[in-house]
Amino acid sequence: MRTHTIALALSFATLATAAHSQTAPVLTGQAAFTDYSKEKPGVRRHLTLADLPKPMPESSVTNRPELVPRPEGAWPQAPAGFKVTEYATGDFVMPRLVRPAPNGDIFLADSGGGRDEDNGRVIVLRGVGADGKAAQREVFATNLDHPFGIAFFPADNPKWVYVANTTSVVRFPYKAGDMKASGPAEVVVRELPGYAKLTGGGHWTRDVVFTKDGQHMLISVGSASNVDDSDTHPTEFHRADVLEFTPDGKFEKIYAAGIRNCVGEAINPITGALWCSTNERDGLGDNLVPDYITSVPEDSFFGWPWWYMGGHQDPRHAGKHPELKDKVRTPDVILEPHFASLQMSFYPNINKRDADHAGNDFPVAFAGDAFAAEHGSWNRSKRTGYEVIRVPMKNGKATGEYEDFLTGFVTADGKVWGRPVGVTAANDGALIVTDDGSKTVWRVAYVGKK
């Protein structure tokens, strides 16, 4: 049993586990491929197309995580100058995506359990108490079908909270400060492709964001499979796509295609462009196919299922659709294969913050950068992921690198106690991270020199 002293000491300690990222070397080439034993806060990596091996499906392995209770003394590790605390624990079934309301409340999708159970909910966390935990906690809505994406509309003075279920998008009436829905769910999009209808399962997460001008609603829908040819498998209809609707739910078009599972959507605050954090396919070996984080231009195509990474053909679809090879877009940031990259979000421009939102702001070098949660591998001989990464940006464009930011969720002998899923910046500047392994919401605040 953990003692109060140990927990208190850990939660309020500044964890100095690595040199400042600005001075850390960037690992490139084969050295950039990693596993959990090499993931340390501040380490940067840069993978390119030239680093990718040939497909080796015969070497593919099944190595699912062995989930264990958080061991005595285990704690997420952040770079020097950052403090990690437990923000919320207990009574979560599956804490997943998090998004801040304009007033600072944190809306969390507790996606529920069971393939066909409508026991998902949205929970609201508010403020920080003297103990470092959420000062208030309420259930905003219940009886949802595996909710994941959450969006506020209109952006500046929202009247609605949109929630993306597995097979639909609903919205609840909202005014600033509401911690409980003031009215019933209104169905906006009635039929999204859903895994409950499929024999073989498929990705169930659905994210939802609005374009910067508020004119369009973009919904990401993951594939129904790992490699099925969408020409011959009707279950792949409107999947592995980002779908465009009006805010009232009228289908407009396929916004972008060939994205196997765009789990996390985000609008770049500088450029206004859609970005995605994406799970790529498995079964081609330890170091294929990389997950990625990328801008997603309108009408772009990323290759799934026939191609990957800018014109590499999946050998399981050899000879198919040669006309598409030159149309495959290369992602902006190539991540470790099998990372299971989930939610991503952009850190705000600190210089433009309202004075009321100051407090735990990260150093100015983080302004405009992205963060992403890496849920962790199952298809790699040595585990990788189980961390939060930072994606450096310059003027709204990615440098191509990524950096280990929050690690320590795997024990030295490879057992897993935590799995990051959601990540967002709170209005006070702290980073909020959900972990559906230990069913904890973590808070990462900067306490170093301002």
Side-chain angles (χ1 to χ4, degrees):
M1 182 175 180
R2 300 180 186 87
T3 66
H4 176 74
T5 303
I6 291 175
L8 193 64
L10 282 168
S11 64
F12 287 95
T14 298
L15 298 166
T17 57
H20 288 293
S21 59
Q22 289 81 357
T23 60
V26 179
L27 300 178
T28 59
Q30 296 306 297
F33 288 106
T34 187
D35 61 67
Y36 75 92
S37 67
K38 301 170 186 173
E39 293 165 2
K40 306 291 180 185
V43 177
R44 285 197 178 191
R45 297 178 173 83
H46 191 175
L47 285 165
T48 68
L49 297 182
D51 303 322
L52 302 185
K54 294 180 179 180
M56 293 190 293
E58 68 280 0
S59 69
S60 181
V61 301
T62 296
N63 182 22
R64 299 192 184 281
E66 181 182 348
L67 199 63
V68 299
R70 179 162 61 87
E72 181 80 21
W75 206 258
Q77 299 176 17
F82 291 87
K83 179 177 72 177
V84 183
T85 57
E86 283 185 343
Y87 184 57
T89 58
D91 195 32
F92 292 124
V93 179
M94 190 189 294
R96 305 288 279 183
L97 179 142
V98 279
R99 289 225 163 94
N103 75 326
D105 289 341
I106 301 296
F107 278 62
L108 181 153
D110 191 13
S111 299
R115 180 183 171 97
D116 298 312
E117 296 177 14
D118 292 342
N119 60 0
R121 11 173 230 178
V122 172
I123 294 172
V124 182
L125 305 172
R126 175 178 291 174
V128 184
D131 59 358
K133 297 186 184 297
Q136 292 178 259
R137 172 176 174 160
E138 296 285 352
V139 176
F140 182 81
T142 59
N143 299 317
L144 300 169
D145 175 14
H146 298 81
F148 189 78
I150 299 171
F152 298 88
F153 183 81
D156 293 334
N157 184 25
K159 307 299 183 187
W160 302 97
V161 176
Y162 283 68
V163 178
N165 292 310
T166 290
T167 57
S168 67
V169 174
V170 299
R171 65 185 180 185
F172 296 90
Y174 175 79
K175 65 179 184 301
D178 284 353
M179 297 187 76
K180 289 182 177 291
S182 60
E186 174 188 338
V187 178
V188 180
V189 178
R190 189 164 296 280
E191 289 194 12
L192 290 175
Y195 81 118
K197 298 178 180 178
L198 305 176
T199 302
H203 295 113
W204 59 264
T205 54
R206 308 285 180 260
D207 203 357
V208 54
V209 296
F210 290 91
T211 54
K212 196 170 184 179
D213 62 9
Q215 297 300 303
H216 308 283
M217 177 170 61
L218 304 177
I219 302 171
S220 59
V221 180
S223 65
S225 69
N226 187 55
V227 71
D228 286 352
D229 190 331
S230 52
D231 287 344
T232 56
H233 288 74
T235 51
E236 292 293 352
F237 178 71
H238 274 186
R239 301 191 67 148
D241 294 331
V242 175
L243 307 177
E244 179 181 297
F245 296 80
T246 66
D248 289 328
K250 179 183 177 182
F251 178 73
E252 295 182 298
K253 67 174 187 174
I254 296 175
Y255 180 89
I259 308 174
R260 180 174 176 256
N261 190 21
C262 169
V263 191
E265 294 182 301
I267 299 298
N268 189 312
I270 295 175
T271 67
L274 173 69
W275 281 65
C276 269
S277 173
T278 302
N279 294 177
E280 250 292 353
R281 72 204 77 188
D282 300 302
L284 294 181
D286 270 5
N287 290 337
L288 281 181
V289 172
D291 284 359
Y292 57 84
I293 289 171
T294 189
S295 57
V296 183
E298 188 172 4
D299 300 321
S300 56
F301 174 64
F302 285 82
W304 192 91
W306 309 286
W307 303 89
Y308 63 88
M309 294 287 143
H312 292 76
Q313 187 147 50
D314 190 313
R316 297 165 292 190
H317 293 300
K320 294 181 181 179
H321 287 293
E323 77 283 3
L324 295 178
K325 179 178 180 178
D326 295 336
K327 297 180 180 180
V328 181
R329 184 176 176 86
T330 300
D332 294 278
V333 185
I334 298 174
L335 304 178
E336 181 72 23
H338 315 299
F339 250 10
S341 194
L342 299 187
Q343 187 182 0
M344 68 167 291
S345 63
F346 289 96
Y347 199 81
N349 187 334
I350 300 162
N351 294 327
K352 294 183 179 180
R353 276 188 180 281
D354 187 288
D356 292 339
H357 292 166
N360 296 112
D361 280 337
F362 287 12
V364 69
F366 287 81
D369 287 354
F371 287 90
E374 311 306 317
H375 200 225
S377 64
W378 70 267
N379 187 222
R380 200 170 189 278
S381 56
K382 199 164 185 179
R383 305 194 196 292
T384 192
Y386 309 97
E387 64 168 332
V388 173
I389 62 170
R390 171 191 178 189
V391 179
M393 309 283 288
K394 290 183 179 179
N395 299 318
K397 297 183 181 296
T399 65
E401 303 169 4
Y402 77 89
E403 176 184 313
D404 299 336
F405 181 77
L406 192 68
T407 66
F409 295 97
V410 183
T411 64
D413 58 356
K415 293 182 175 61
V416 176
W417 64 264
R419 305 194 71 181
V421 177
V423 59
T424 195
N427 277 12
D428 66 357
L431 200 69
I432 303 297
V433 176
T434 63
D435 156 17
D436 70 359
S438 68
K439 303 186 189 305
T440 303
V441 182
W442 303 96
R443 183 174 182 268
V444 186
Y446 185 68
V447 295
K449 285 187 176 181
K450 299 292 182 182

